[in-house]
């Protein structure tokens, strides 16, 4: 069975689930989902990304985004939704909310599970991507397996 570690920061949409579950054709895939609470990212960088995407109302409401401990509950719900969606498509899926040091956790999970790849499914982060400080760019230097970066869809 092919094992993918899937790093996400928002609940998987139907389109996302369809995409990641069909990446390897008819091969059986097992997912280990790591949910990175979005509120833990830098608020200013999120606002800049919103402006760059033309999403001005979202930029104005970045201060409403839960952070720290307040972000853990919504992240846990998003994780459960995502795991259920993957299982509904016939995939084996387990996961956890990332508490601290996401890249260290990613590396540990890859090593523990013998994962074949990492998929980082994220919204565009223009500033971080430009400086190669986004999760996928940083993971490529740390995990020792192929890292695929995909942009998440909104429903």
């Amino acid at each position: 069975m092919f094992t993918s570690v899937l790093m996400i920061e928002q609940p998987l949409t139907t389109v996302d689930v369809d995409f990641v579950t069909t990446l390897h054709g008819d091969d059986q895939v097992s997912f280990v989902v790591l949910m990175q609470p979005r509120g833990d990212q830098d608020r200013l960088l999120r606002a800049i990304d919103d402006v760059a995407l033309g999403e001005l109302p979202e930029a104005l409401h970045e201060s409403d985004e839960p952070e720290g401990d307040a972000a853990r509950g919504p992240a846990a719900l998003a994780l459960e939704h995502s795991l259920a969606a993957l299982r509904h498509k016939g995939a084996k899926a387990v996961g956890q909310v990332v508490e601290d040091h996401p890249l260290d956790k990613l590396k540990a999970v890859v090593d523990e599970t013998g994962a074949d790849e990492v998929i980082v499914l994220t919204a565009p982060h223009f500033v971080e991507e430009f400086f190669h400080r986004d999760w996928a760019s940083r993971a490529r230097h740390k995990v020792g397996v192929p890292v695929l970066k995909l942009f998440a869809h909104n429903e």
Side-chain angles (χ1 to χ4, degrees):
M1 181 172 288
F2 197 85
T3 302
S4 294
V5 178
L6 179 59
M7 186 173 218
I8 61 174
E9 60 188 9
Q10 63 189 35
L12 294 176
T13 65
T14 304
V15 174
D16 295 331
V17 171
D18 288 343
F19 191 56
V20 299
T21 58
T22 59
L23 279 174
H24 299 289
D26 293 333
D27 293 341
Q28 293 244 334
V29 180
S30 171
F31 291 96
V32 179
V33 182
L34 298 179
M35 176 69 193
Q36 173 63 38
R38 189 171 186 263
D40 286 352
Q41 297 173 7
D42 183 74
R43 187 181 299 166
L44 176 61
L45 289 177
R46 289 193 326 251
I48 291 170
D49 288 338
D50 290 339
V51 169
L53 289 169
E55 298 172 347
L56 297 179
E58 286 82 354
L60 295 173
H61 293 286
E62 282 300 336
S63 62
D64 299 338
E65 192 74 32
E67 295 183 0
D69 290 338
R72 302 283 180 235
L77 290 174
L79 175 63
E80 287 306 315
H81 165 83
S82 299
L83 293 174
L86 288 166
R87 291 173 186 145
H88 181 73
K89 289 295 280 189
K92 181 179 174 188
V94 297
Q96 59 187 284
V97 175
V98 176
E99 298 291 331
D100 296 307
H101 309 292
L103 292 175
D104 292 340
K105 183 62 172 178
L106 181 62
K107 171 75 171 136
V109 168
V110 167
D111 291 345
E112 290 167 12
T113 62
D116 299 293
E117 70 180 356
V118 169
I119 300 171
V120 178
L121 188 66
T122 180
H125 298 293
F126 295 111
V127 174
E128 293 165 324
E129 290 168 23
F130 181 78
F131 292 107
H132 301 285
R133 300 301 301 157
D134 59 299
W135 294 124
S137 295
R138 293 167 57 196
R140 284 185 181 103
H141 301 289
K142 189 161 185 113
V143 297
V145 296
V147 176
L148 177 62
K149 179 179 181 174
L150 302 173
F151 289 119
H153 295 82
N154 292 325
E155 284 187 323

